[in-house]
Amino acid sequence: VDLLTAAPGDMPAQVQAIIDNGGRVFVAGLGVPRDVVNLCHDNNVLVASMCGKVRHAVAAVAAGCDLVIAQGTEAGGHTGTVATMALVPQIVDVVENKVPVVAAGGLFDGRGLAAALSLGAEGVWMGTRFIATPEAWGTPGYKEKLLSMAEDDTVVSKGFTGKTCRVARNDYTQYWEEHASEIEPFPAQFIRSINDGANHLGAGPNTEVDPSREFWPAGQGVGAINELVPAGDLVRSIVAEAEAVIDRMSTLR
Amino acid sequence: VDLLTAAPGDMPAQVQAIIDNGGRVFVAGLGVPRDVVNLCHDNNVLVASMCGKVRHAVAAVAAGCDLVIAQGTEAGGHTGTVATMALVPQIVDVVENKVPVVAAGGLFDGRGLAAALSLGAEGVWMGTRFIATPEAWGTPGYKEKLLSMAEDDTVVSKGFTGKTCRVARNDYTQYWEEHASEIEPFPAQFIRSINDGANHLGAGPNTEVDPSREFWPAGQGVGAINELVPAGDLVRSIVAEAEAVIDRMSTLR
């Protein structure tokens, strides 16, 4: 469930809808109001917060979040400037085991899972890799685009939402790179990109989109994603690969 | 030895000087001409190449480099856009064990060393962490600046050299952020920053510098660097911590 389009004042009502429909975890991408945390906890729903800086994690723990997701700049979608390798251990250090830290950004296989655990994370969050599955919902061409992209085919653009968002580079991101001073703040730019026909976020396979302009979030791990893999197989292969990495590492001792 | 100021045509002569003075490894940051590779190999000097993209690594191996250093955007100094967590495994995959891959960018402790090994690297390159040692050469205030910085106090600027370079954010980087269209290409901008009194790269502790404008490269791991540690102690503690991480990981099996 993506609450990006929820106006701030609507958030408790939207979260109540998630609770009413059986949600178990609420993940906030743009900060967590205290009343939302309380609402979730009163209903046995865990609250997680995507954190792009060390001080975001400090604030998330102080606000009562149950999980901190340390998301590096290489992640697809809304993202910050600090990269996963540097961010995760620095967030682990300030969180001090008060809550589990989950690593996100640039992770796509078992090597990344093992690396994240090495940095002190308790788990990983993979986004782009799971969009490239038969099960994932998305507009036509999105998955094929992911399979074709190299590691340097993403760009951080404010063109689609008004906030820094890592997406597939295309004519629309290029336009806004050349007209940066005209970008409006969120949510006005979000509405602008919808009106421009370049943003069908949340829409499915029966939507008509222009691949040269569409809003397709993607992380920098995308260059390693070369086939659609069923999500269950993906989870099993990632875990098996991480186990093999750990076994290989043990032989270094 | 930093050959940044060497004009391209001078490189063989400069490399010959390194060879004549007992250098064992030549690390190229901005590409390696074939004749330089041959000159090094004829003199039993290894050649390594800093690679910020997958195709740089392909080219480095094709050019005969002995080591590929996969350097993520979070690294201090000249750097690209792809982050370490995403870059290292993708470079490991294309290098296919033809030469060892070394991970660089955002690494500052044993957790990072273990993470890099998990990703398939054979070793790590740490820059900023070793500037914060008593042994390191640098202008007055540089080390103290590193100790004071948070993970988000760096910025990628072309202001000091004309090429994208991650440094401590200050008044000089801010000036060029606001006058980006006036930045000249390398090496003209490099000379400009010297003439502006903001660039004393390579100078030592008896140099007078303005801390609010000086060229101080720093990676995003800087937020975790809180004390000067003698280099030998640092190496030993990093290895010991990596071994402890590997032992902890083994218990997950």
Side-chain angles (χ1 to χ4, degrees), chain B residues 101-189:
Chain B
V101 174
V102 172
L107 304 168
F108 55 84
D109 67 4
R111 293 174 294 183
L113 169 54
L117 297 176
S118 296
L119 295 178
E122 309 250 356
V124 294
W125 170 292
M126 294 187 188
T128 311
R129 178 59 269 195
F130 281 87
I131 297 169
T133 58
E135 295 91 337
W137 182 249
T139 48
Y142 188 4
K143 298 176 190 181
E144 293 72 18
K145 178 71 177 178
L146 295 179
L147 300 186
S148 74
M149 288 170 70
E151 87 288 358
D152 59 344
D153 285 334
T154 74
V155 66
V156 173
S157 175
K158 291 186 178 179
F160 292 107
T161 70
K163 292 180 180 286
T164 52
C165 194
R166 187 176 296 282
V167 298
R169 185 188 292 110
N170 62 23
D171 293 348
Y172 198 73
T173 63
Q174 191 58 38
Y175 175 85
W176 290 111
E177 203 164 308
E178 291 161 11
H179 298 78
S181 65
E182 299 166 26
I183 294 177
E184 298 178 83
F186 175 84
Q189 187 69 25

Side-chain angles (χ1 to χ4, degrees), chain A residues 13-121:
Chain A
Q14 300 268 356
V15 171
Q16 186 63 52
I18 292 173
I19 292 166
D20 293 344
N21 286 280
R24 298 284 308 280
V25 182
F26 173 63
V27 182
L30 302 169
V32 198
R34 182 81 224 186
D35 56 347
V36 169
V37 175
N38 292 339
L39 177 61
C40 288
H41 285 173
D42 289 346
N43 290 278
N44 295 316
V45 169
L46 293 174
V47 181
S49 179
M50 305 294 281
C51 298
K53 296 191 176 196
V54 169
R55 65 174 165 279
H56 297 169
V58 172
V61 172
C65 289
D66 305 291
L67 280 174
V68 161
I69 302 166
Q71 188 207 41
T73 181
E74 54 266 63
H78 287 114
T79 195
T81 58
V82 184
T84 303
M85 191 65 86
L87 184 67
V88 171
Q90 294 185 68
I91 283 188
V92 165
D93 286 344
V94 296
V95 169
E96 289 179 324
N97 291 316
K98 285 172 197 152
V99 299
V101 174
V102 172
L107 304 168
F108 55 84
D109 68 4
R111 293 174 295 183
L113 169 54
L117 297 175
S118 295
L119 295 177

Side-chain angles (χ1 to χ4, degrees), chain A residues 52-55 73-74 81-90 92-93 105-121 150-152 166 220-225 242-253, chain B residues 52-55 73-74 81-90 92-93 105-121 150-152 166 220-225 242-253:
Chain A
K53 296 191 176 196
V54 169
R55 65 174 165 279
T73 181
E74 54 266 63
T81 58
V82 184
T84 303
M85 191 65 86
L87 184 67
V88 171
Q90 294 185 68
V92 165
D93 286 344
L107 304 168
F108 55 84
D109 68 4
R111 293 174 295 183
L113 169 54
L117 297 175
S118 295
L119 295 177
E151 86 288 358
D152 58 344
R166 187 177 295 283
Q220 292 181 330
V222 71
I225 301 175
E243 290 175 338
V245 168
I246 293 170
D247 290 345
R248 173 174 62 76
M249 299 275 282
S250 303
T251 65
L252 299 174
R253 294 288 288 128
Chain B
K53 296 191 175 195
V54 169
R55 64 175 165 278
T73 182
E74 54 265 64
T81 59
V82 184
T84 303
M85 191 65 87
L87 184 67
V88 171
Q90 294 185 67
V92 165
D93 286 343
L107 304 168
F108 55 84
D109 67 4
R111 293 174 294 183
L113 169 54
L117 297 176
S118 296
L119 295 178
E151 87 288 358
D152 59 344
R166 187 176 296 282
Q220 292 181 331
V222 70
I225 301 175
E243 290 175 337
V245 168
I246 293 171
D247 290 345
R248 172 174 63 74
M249 299 275 282
S250 303
T251 66
L252 298 175
R253 294 288 287 127

Side-chain angles (χ1 to χ4, degrees), chain B residues 180-197:
Chain B
S181 65
E182 299 166 26
I183 294 177
E184 298 178 83
F186 175 84
Q189 187 69 25
F190 188 82
I191 294 162
R192 166 73 193 261
S193 66
I194 291 172
N195 291 340
D196 283 346

Side-chain angles (χ1 to χ4, degrees), chain A residues 175-195:
Chain A
Y175 174 85
W176 289 111
E177 203 164 308
E178 291 160 11
H179 298 79
S181 65
E182 299 165 27
I183 294 177
E184 297 178 83
F186 175 85
Q189 186 69 26
F190 188 82
I191 294 161
R192 166 72 193 260
S193 67
I194 291 172
N195 291 340

Side-chain angles (χ1 to χ4, degrees), chain B residues 199-226:
Chain B
N199 181 344
H200 300 81
L201 192 69
N206 293 321
T207 314
E208 197 168 315
V209 304
D210 177 352
S212 70
R213 292 159 50 83
E214 184 57 27
F215 181 19
W216 282 335
Q220 292 181 331
V222 70
I225 301 175
N226 300 311

